[in-house]
Amino acid sequence: ITGDLFNRMNRKACKNAFLFVKRAVKIAPVYYIEGNHEASLQETGERYIAEVGRLGAHILRDAYTDLSECRLIGLKQRAPAEMLRSMLKSDRFNLVLAHRPEQFPEYAETNADVILTGHAHGGQIRLFHRGIYASNQGFFPKFTDGWYEIGNSRMYVSRGLGNTVPVPRVFNTPELN
C-alpha cells in the first residue's frame, strides 16, 4: 500500500480502510507506507498507522525487508535519494514503495529497479488519456498513471481508489493494483 489509505477529508472512511487491511492480510503479506494524508492527520495518523500494524501489515518507514531474491524498500514522505541509495542491495531486485511520483527522476538516479507510487490520483480529470492536474506536479503533470522509465529504473503510478478533492474523477477509472 503506497500511502493515503486514510482520507483527511473523510475520517469516517477509516472503518473501510481498516477492514480492507484486515481482509488483505488473510490473502497475502501486506506492506504499507504512509502518504501525505496520514502525515497530515498528525497524532491521529500515527494511531491509524499503528492500528494497520496491529492488523498484521508490515509498516515500512525508511526501512527495508528482504524477501527471497527481492529487497522491498519503503520510504517515508519526501525521502531523499541518499536514503534510498543507502538501502539498495546490488545482488537483489530492489522494489521500492514511495508515495510521490514526482520524485522519480531523483530516485531513478539510484538505479532502483522498480518504484511503486500513488499520490497523483490519475490526474483527477483525464482528457485524451492524460491527467489534467496532480498535487505537487500542477497542471498537465508528467507522472499520473501507469509505467514510466528513466535509465535502469521503472516506476508504476497507481491511480488509486479514492477521491479527496471536491472535483470528481472524470474519465479516470479507479484502480487497485
Side-chain angles (χ1 to χ4, degrees):
I1 301 172
T2 57
D4 289 354
L5 181 59
F6 303 100
N7 182 334
R8 69 175 174 254
M9 304 295 190
N10 182 359
R11 292 187 185 192
K12 291 180 183 178
C14 294
K15 181 179 177 183
N16 289 334
F18 291 133
L19 184 59
F20 169 75
V21 172
K22 185 176 182 178
R23 290 181 177 171
V25 299
K26 292 179 181 178
I27 298 169
V30 173
Y31 295 87
Y32 168 80
I33 63 166
E34 67 188 56
N36 57 296
H37 287 273
E38 289 89 346
S40 71
L41 290 169
Q42 299 169 350
E43 287 180 31
T44 301
E46 290 297 322
R47 286 195 306 274
Y48 291 170
I49 292 167
E51 181 61 21
V52 167
R54 281 190 290 279
L55 290 171
H58 305 274
I59 313 267
L60 296 174
R61 289 177 139 173
D62 293 339
Y64 65 86
T65 188
D66 289 325
L67 309 169
S68 188
E69 296 176 20
C70 172
R71 174 163 281 187
L72 180 61
I73 300 168
L75 299 176
K76 287 173 63 177
Q77 286 285 312
R78 303 184 195 274
E82 296 78 35
M83 175 67 69
L84 173 56
R85 187 175 283 111
S86 73
M87 290 187 275
L88 296 174
K89 181 115 170 128
S90 62
D91 64 341
R92 290 183 179 258
F93 180 83
N94 291 282
L95 178 61
V96 180
L97 304 179
H99 185 62
R100 296 176 178 270
E102 68 271 13
Q103 290 185 267
F104 181 48
E106 180 184 351
Y107 291 160
E109 291 177 11
T110 70
N111 289 317
D113 297 300
V114 172
I115 301 159
L116 303 178
T117 68
H119 185 60
H121 300 273
Q124 204 61 38
I125 296 171
R126 297 185 65 78
L127 295 175
F128 308 108
H129 306 289
R130 183 166 183 193
I132 300 300
Y133 181 83
S135 295
N136 303 100
Q137 293 185 68
F139 287 98
F140 305 107
K142 188 171 183 178
F143 307 116
T144 59
D145 76 315
W147 286 103
Y148 300 89
E149 188 171 340
I150 297 176
N152 295 323
S153 296
R154 297 189 75 195
M155 174 180 69
Y156 188 82
V157 182
S158 170
R159 290 187 309 272
L161 296 171
N163 185 36
T164 60
V165 295
V167 178
R169 286 179 181 252
V170 177
F171 305 120
N172 184 7
T173 307
E175 74 173 335
L176 176 65
N177 53 327

